[in-house]
Amino acid sequence: MKKKKIGLLPKIVIAIALGIACGLFFPGWLVRIFLTINGLFSNFLGFIIPLLILGLVAPGIADLGKGAGRLLLITALLAYGFTLFSGFFTYFASDLSYPWLLKDAELQPLETAAVEPLAPYFTVMMPPLMDVMTSLVLAFTLGLGMSVINGATLKGAMEDFKDIINKVITGVIIPLLPLYIFGIFLNISNSGQVSGVLGVFVKIIVMIFFLTIVLLFIQFFIAGIVSKKNPFRLFRNMLPAYMTALGTQSSAATIPVTLEQTIRNGVNRELAAFVIPLCATIHLSGSTMKIVACAMAIMLMSGMPISFGVMAGFICMLGIAMVAAPGVPGGAIMAALGLLQSMLGFDETAQGLMIALYIAMDSFGTACNVTGDGAIAVIMDRINKKSRHTGTRDELEEVVVVE
């Protein structure tokens, strides 16, 4: 009999619980050991994040150059538009609700906590090869260049580099995340701030679940208007995909169900076979919603200024930085860490809280992503039917062959 593996979410929950409990009685010397481990892991994250962005984003953008130009461009723009709408919708919803929802929540810097803060025994500096913005610009330039010239040599090298990054994420970062989260909550518990953090966790999880349902209704309402179909019926047909994504927590694993339910909504089978796998990679409404909502909550708790201009830039960059990240467990939040650090000024504690919050709601975001893919497919089916250009049909046939 095969041993049943414990998923990442249960491991994170266990790590949080153990961190809180152990922080109440662990002696200072033992806490400092875990703080040292956290410091090493955090510095490694800082080193790997620019490489992670380069390794995920550049091949992801290059892959968009495959197949049909016009059909691909419209689908990509529509997916990015839905992602941006999700980000700004979440920003305004959080901006309106957080002042009263989190009015008593406050995360003081650990240096000002009632208990004398502890420090790691030692640190090892791991300066990154480039900063996050340089990595993003380089990834964008290389990705677009590879999609234009169709160069096999560079593309092959970047695919190999992407495989290395994926191995680092799945073989090093993801397995060590529970230990990292344990250290974060051990330190928070030791400083006496854990009750406020847990209260905020529960409120944010409930709020984001509600927002994902509202967002999906908006997306299918738009799809219903464009296709002249009943939006509630369209949404109801996609519920099996939603429930499957809740269980699998994977956009890729849910593709067969998403595809079948999309066809049941009257979408052309060949078009659905193109749009659904593509959107599983580039449509990130649910992931964007989680990251924006969690980031604003942590910023509010920490007393950090929340500027619309900064958040707008963050949301726009987030939709690009997470391209192809859903194919990697925890890839979306890993790709976002660089932006959280460089654009929003998140420190180690804030990043640890972001990871814990994001993974706690991973299934909600994935379910929102894949269900919204069905709405995009319905819109694309209507656009394809209205087009009288034979080039569009030729492009569709070409894409199906490529896929």
Side-chain angles (χ1 to χ4, degrees), residues 49-325:
I49 281 171
L51 301 179
L52 184 150
I53 291 174
L54 181 63
L56 292 181
V57 176
I61 294 176
D63 287 340
L64 297 183
K66 293 182 178 180
R70 180 178 178 273
L71 196 64
L72 179 67
L73 178 63
I74 295 175
T75 306
L77 289 176
L78 190 58
Y80 185 63
F82 270 31
T83 299
L84 288 184
F85 177 82
S86 172
F88 286 105
F89 168 71
T90 306
Y91 169 81
F92 288 113
S94 301
D95 190 52
L96 288 174
S97 61
Y98 279 175
W100 58 268
L101 187 66
L102 306 178
K103 63 180 179 179
D104 297 324
E106 188 174 7
L107 182 63
Q108 295 287 348
L110 294 181
E111 291 79 5
T112 63
V115 179
E116 184 70 21
L118 299 174
Y121 284 110
F122 63 89
T123 59
V124 177
M125 300 306 297
M126 306 177 195
L129 298 178
M130 65 189 84
D131 61 34
V132 171
M133 198 54 61
T134 301
S135 177
L136 273 172
V137 174
L138 180 59
F140 199 70
T141 303
L142 289 177
L144 285 177
M146 287 185 290
S147 68
V148 171
I149 67 173
N150 293 320
T153 304
L154 181 58
K155 184 67 165 61
M158 290 305 300
E159 287 292 342
D160 288 343
F161 183 57
K162 177 182 177 181
D163 291 340
I164 293 174
I165 293 298
N166 286 343
K167 288 293 184 182
V168 171
I169 293 175
T170 57
V172 179
I173 296 178
I174 296 299
L176 289 178
L177 272 182
L179 181 62
Y180 181 62
I181 298 299
F182 171 81
I184 290 288
F185 277 85
L186 180 69
N187 200 20
I188 291 176
S189 177
N190 181 261
S191 68
Q193 301 188 60
V194 70
S195 59
V197 172
L198 288 181
V200 170
F201 266 40
V202 174
K203 292 178 181 178
I204 295 176
I205 290 172
V206 172
M207 175 181 167
I208 289 182
F209 174 74
F210 173 75
L211 288 181
T212 56
I213 300 301
V214 174
L215 178 65
L216 286 173
F217 273 116
I218 293 174
Q219 290 178 341
F220 278 94
F221 183 73
I222 295 172
I225 292 177
V226 172
S227 64
K228 298 180 180 178
K229 296 178 180 179
N230 186 335
F232 297 101
R233 181 169 165 271
L234 293 174
F235 180 66
R236 187 184 67 228
N237 285 340
M238 293 303 299
L239 285 179
Y242 183 91
M243 298 306 296
T244 302
L246 282 179
T248 64
Q249 299 182 8
S250 169
S251 299
T254 313
I255 285 177
V257 180
T258 311
L259 182 60
E260 184 63 31
Q261 297 308 120
T262 300
I263 294 171
R264 287 189 52 147
N265 273 335
V267 177
N268 176 275
R269 182 177 292 273
E270 292 180 339
L271 181 73
F274 164 61
V275 173
I276 295 303
L278 176 62
C279 286
T281 300
I282 64 175
H283 175 229
L284 300 152
S285 293
S287 301
T288 300
M289 171 175 284
K290 290 189 298 180
I291 291 174
V292 172
C294 294
M296 290 182 66
I298 292 173
M299 292 171 73
L300 183 66
M301 290 172 61
S302 303
M304 300 167 62
I306 301 177
S307 164
F308 174 74
V310 173
M311 290 301 300
F314 173 73
I315 292 168
C316 292
M317 294 302 296
L318 196 59
I320 298 174
M322 292 191 300
V323 169

